[in-house]
Amino acid sequence: MPAAPNLTGDLASVDDATLAAVLDHAELPPLLAALAAALGDPSFTPDHLRPDLSTLMDPTFGLSEEQLAEGRQLALDGLRRLRDDGGPNLDARQVDDLEPLLDFLSGGRPVHDYLELLREELALGEDLRSPDWHKDDVAPDRPFRVAVIGAGMSGLVAAHRLQQAGLDVVVVEKNDDVGGTWLENSYPGCRVDVSNLFYSYSFAQRADWPEHFSSQPVLLDYFRSVADGFGLRPLMRFGTEVTSAEFDESSTTWRLHLRTPEGDEVLEAQAVVSAVGQLNRPNVPSIPGVETFTGPAFHSARWDHAVDLVGKRVVVIGTGASAAQLIPVIAEQVAELTVLQRTPAWFIPAPSYTEPIGPELLWLRRNVPGYTHWSRFWVFWRTVEGMLPMATVDADWDGDERSVSATNDMMREMLTGYLVGEFDGRPDLLDQVVPDYPPFSKRFILDDGAWARTLKQDHVHLVGDSIVEITAEGVRTDDGTLHAADVLIYGTGFTASEFLMPMQVTGRGGED
């Protein structure tokens, strides 16, 4: 077995053997694009090495072993040039041929209409989204305060941009710290289901994310560091909740009624930004008898860490994103686990979902100019915009309510095949976990195999029968079964469509 490469040095100090070793762990397409940009040489992105993004389940993205070997040799040549010749590190303003590089990573789908967006998203060399104006140049003598409600991911970036523009900013946050949903959710297994390269700010990129999909403590630390690093904390009023907001037309001023630790008060502002988020108001379903359960009962977003689950009979209601994360973790602790499922979810295989990022990939991200930024675009295009054709409805397609187009049906077949493989030997479970609706109709859930491994365990029971009532002893379903519980956990999501609740907002003409 070859010795692990010595990755203590930077690009200028490593030898060819080390470069070759780290390339075995590289995400090759974005690395080739990064080298093409850094060296000003489009030969690093030849058409015959263009990835095929329709091969969702293929980690090689349709490239043969010969093509992968050629790509690694190209990358090795590029890294040598950067090391030996001190190749230029071009920023977004200097890259004249940005479109072909983006087109290479997009798998051939035209990106022309996205160029300005993607140029900003890459953030190579400068923050292109920073304001190009300042209040002192526009209206220096006019008082203008902006109130931002919420200090989560959106509230922080809103405050940062407003501060860059020289405005008077105050951020009102009901919690005692920044972070929003990543402060409030601390259930076992809580992590983001979007790659951290994309689930982060373009102006505050990290080349040293410890995980591909970071856990809640890592994300909370990131948002705290952004608040500190950009000087946002002095703008914050923590432990303060907006109960209502009303617009005074005569003075063109908003009056925000606040509930603070010192009592109620009114804050006036010329503009208000709502950054209250979608995933911060737990949805606890109205089930008959919910108040009669005698054991501990709590929502995943209000996890009661004082409750010891070891050796307990636990019932979890729901199989959405949060539930799918916490169920495999608590299954290792409890004596019996009953999972009550209303609607199965589509699972996308993500083998690295809970894995740390290896030292070789971390070294590349730290030392190759622009590699982190190009990887960010690669993630965005593969997992968001690049998948749009699979979600587009074909009016002439007859999918019998199971798919909406030929490409959507192909996606369904791939995802079904994954579940068939995962639940091999358990047809009873397979019948319950394959959705009967088209992919993209609901949120996907990432899976590294934990879902099937958990549900296959003898002490874990997946139940698809409807709930009719909650009793003192547990949950009764419509087949008459009482599922006994010592602890009841709601994995029932959030009131995501009630954006401003529970605030009362009154605008022009007294309109609610």
Side-chain angles (χ1 to χ4, degrees), residues 53 106 109-111 114 117-118 198 377-392 440:
L53 300 191
S106 75
R109 186 177 164 204
V111 297
Y114 297 83
L117 166 70
L118 299 178
F198 186 40
F377 165 73
W378 170 243
V379 168
F380 161 70
W381 197 264
R382 282 191 297 115
T383 61
V384 183
E385 202 63 33
M387 297 179 79
L388 185 60
M390 296 183 184
T392 303
F440 297 96

Side-chain angles (χ1 to χ4, degrees), residues 456-474:
K456 287 179 179 179
Q457 297 181 63
D458 292 338
H459 73 297
V460 179
H461 317 290
L462 180 64
V463 177
D465 299 300
S466 299
I467 299 171
V468 294
E469 65 172 339
I470 294 176
T471 72
E473 294 81 24

Side-chain angles (χ1 to χ4, degrees), residues 189-243:
C190 181
R191 67 177 58 244
V192 73
D193 56 7
V194 177
S195 168
N196 265 127
L197 290 174
F198 186 40
Y199 194 85
S200 52
Y201 301 120
S202 60
F203 60 88
Q205 282 296 287
R206 280 185 62 174
D208 61 345
W209 288 109
E211 302 164 297
H212 296 277
F213 300 89
S214 286
S215 56
Q216 177 263 340
V218 173
L219 284 165
L220 181 56
D221 179 68
Y222 171 73
F223 291 116
R224 285 171 170 166
S225 69
V226 168
D228 293 335
F230 289 93
L232 302 180
R233 284 193 183 272
L235 312 178
M236 307 284 178
R237 294 192 57 179
F238 293 115
T240 301
E241 186 169 8
V242 178
T243 58

Side-chain angles (χ1 to χ4, degrees), residues 126-390:
E126 63 173 334
D127 180 6
L128 295 174
R129 287 186 173 143
S130 60
D132 59 1
W133 59 275
H134 195 278
K135 180 184 179 297
D136 290 347
D137 299 323
V138 177
D141 300 324
R142 181 181 175 187
F144 202 94
R145 171 183 290 163
V146 182
V148 178
I149 307 175
M153 190 179 199
S154 298
L156 290 176
V157 70
H160 173 53
R161 295 307 192 198
L162 292 164
Q163 184 175 241
Q164 285 180 312
L167 292 162
D168 176 15
V169 185
V170 59
V171 181
V172 181
E173 169 56 55
K174 70 180 188 301
N175 293 318
D176 294 327
D177 200 355
V178 302
T181 191
W182 299 109
L183 177 69
E184 296 176 355
N185 285 266
S186 60
Y187 58 83
C190 181
R191 67 177 58 244
V192 73
D193 56 7
V194 177
S195 168
N196 265 127
L197 290 174
F198 186 40
Y199 194 85
S200 52
Y201 301 120
S202 60
F203 60 88
Q205 282 296 287
R206 280 185 62 174
D208 61 345
W209 288 109
E211 302 164 297
H212 296 277
F213 300 89
S214 286
S215 56
Q216 177 263 340
V218 173
L219 284 165
L220 181 56
D221 179 68
Y222 171 73
F223 291 116
R224 285 171 170 166
S225 69
V226 168
D228 293 335
F230 289 93
L232 302 180
R233 284 193 183 272
L235 312 178
M236 307 284 178
R237 294 192 57 179
F238 293 115
T240 301
E241 186 169 8
V242 178
T243 58
S244 64
E246 57 194 34
F247 186 65
D248 183 335
E249 294 184 65
S250 62
S251 63
T252 63
T253 300
W254 283 94
R255 290 190 176 91
L256 279 65
H257 297 265
L258 309 180
R259 183 182 297 126
T260 82
E262 291 76 34
D264 295 344
E265 66 175 83
V266 175
L267 172 70
E268 293 190 348
Q270 281 64 49
V272 178
V273 176
S274 172
V276 297
Q278 284 184 281
L279 307 180
N280 68 339
R281 298 287 174 181
N283 175 41
V284 178
S286 299
I287 301 172
V290 65
E291 73 285 349
T292 66
F293 182 68
T294 55
F298 49 86
H299 192 278
S300 62
R302 301 293 183 266
W303 194 268
D304 190 343
H305 292 276
V307 177
D308 184 5
L309 300 181
V310 175
K312 302 290 178 58
R313 299 170 300 173
V314 177
V315 171
V316 176
I317 299 177
T319 54
S322 298
Q325 290 180 342
L326 69 90
I327 286 169
V329 179
I330 67 171
E332 303 302 318
Q333 307 167 21
V334 305
E336 187 174 17
L337 178 60
T338 301
V339 179
L340 299 177
Q341 172 183 269
R342 182 180 64 178
T343 307
W346 284 113
F347 284 81
I348 289 185
S352 63
Y353 185 42
T354 58
E355 292 181 358
I357 296 176
E360 296 87 357
L361 184 55
L362 280 175
W363 185 89
L364 284 165
R365 287 182 176 175
R366 290 189 185 110
N367 290 283
V368 179
Y371 181 39
T372 296
H373 301 77
W374 285 98
S375 294
R376 188 171 192 262
F377 165 73
W378 170 243
V379 168
F380 161 70
W381 197 264
R382 282 191 297 115
T383 61
V384 183
E385 202 63 33
M387 297 179 79
L388 185 60
M390 296 183 184

Side-chain angles (χ1 to χ4, degrees), residues 362-425:
L362 280 175
W363 185 89
L364 284 165
R365 287 182 176 175
R366 290 189 185 110
N367 290 283
V368 179
Y371 181 39
T372 296
H373 301 77
W374 285 98
S375 294
R376 188 171 192 262
F377 165 73
W378 170 243
V379 168
F380 161 70
W381 197 264
R382 282 191 297 115
T383 61
V384 183
E385 202 63 33
M387 297 179 79
L388 185 60
M390 296 183 184
T392 303
V393 176
D394 179 355
D396 297 324
W397 176 258
D398 182 10
D400 194 27
E401 297 187 356
R402 294 163 62 86
S403 60
V404 297
S405 68
T407 54
N408 184 257
D409 196 61
M410 179 183 69
M411 181 74 162
R412 180 186 180 86
E413 291 299 316
M414 288 191 293
L415 298 180
T416 300
Y418 173 69
L419 291 172
V420 169
E422 288 291 295
F423 288 90
D424 184 39

Side-chain angles (χ1 to χ4, degrees), residues 496-512:
S497 60
E498 299 176 2
F499 288 96
L500 296 175
M501 297 295 285
M503 285 186 293
Q504 179 73 31
V505 180
T506 306
R508 286 190 176 93
E511 290 291 327
D512 183 343

